[in-house]
Amino acid sequence: MRRLLKEDPDDYSEEFQEILDRWEALTALKTKAEHRANVATFIPLIVSLILVVATFFLPDSMPANHRINLMRGAMMLPALLAPVVGLASRRRLKSINQELKELMVCPNPDCGMPLSEANVRRGLCTYCKKHI
């Protein structure tokens, strides 16, 4: 509707600015999500170290086979935890990447070609040549 109200129908400056603003917000979210994913990779390692240290404090009165089974369990837990810990981060990154892909498209309804960050910053579609 607002396209019809514009004096120049080839002026896509508002649309390019909206794309740029949304792109900047999404890339900031992506950076945070990547940081969280990197931190999450260390969680199983930290859990493993804590459990190994905890095995040193097992009571001497505990039978050897129980101590061994507890140590085995302590060694398995981080391996089982690793895939679960990163799952949410990977899903969030995938969602953000998909949103970025859908966002970076020429606002000209007759074009709709993918845009690069440089295209959006310049406010120019290299395919249809619509610009600010």
Side-chain angles (χ1 to χ4, degrees):
M1 180 65 171
R2 72 177 170 190
R3 169 114 333 263
L4 297 174
L5 300 175
K6 285 189 168 184
E7 291 178 22
D8 182 5
D10 290 335
D11 178 12
Y12 286 84
S13 57
E14 289 178 28
E15 290 85 351
F16 274 104
Q17 188 59 50
E18 287 175 19
I19 291 171
L20 181 60
D21 292 345
R22 185 71 184 130
W23 178 84
E24 288 173 345
L26 284 171
T27 52
L29 278 175
K30 183 177 177 180
T31 301
K32 287 180 184 177
E34 287 171 341
H35 176 71
R36 286 184 184 144
N38 289 337
V39 169
T41 60
F42 289 101
I43 291 174
L45 175 65
I46 293 166
V47 169
S48 178
L49 290 172
I50 290 169
L51 292 173
V52 166
V53 170
T55 60
F56 288 112
F57 299 102
L58 293 174
D60 291 334
S61 61
M62 183 182 282
N65 60 341
H66 290 306
R67 292 170 69 125
I68 291 171
N69 287 335
L70 277 172
M71 286 186 222
R72 286 178 181 158
M75 290 169 25
M76 281 184 53
L77 186 62
L80 297 172
L81 185 64
V84 176
V85 167
L87 187 61
S89 297
R90 287 190 301 273
R91 283 185 180 159
R92 181 68 179 136
L93 280 171
K94 185 176 179 180
S95 169
I96 292 170
N97 285 331
Q98 183 61 35
E99 202 171 337
L100 279 168
K101 183 180 175 183
E102 292 169 3
L103 173 73
M104 300 298 278
V105 175
C106 179
N108 178 2
D110 297 330
C111 179
M113 294 300 289
L115 297 171
S116 69
E117 175 190 351
N119 293 135
V120 175
R121 289 201 183 279
R122 281 182 285 170
L124 173 69
C125 175
T126 54
Y127 299 100
C128 70
K129 306 297 185 209
K130 298 293 181 189
H131 57 83
I132 297 171

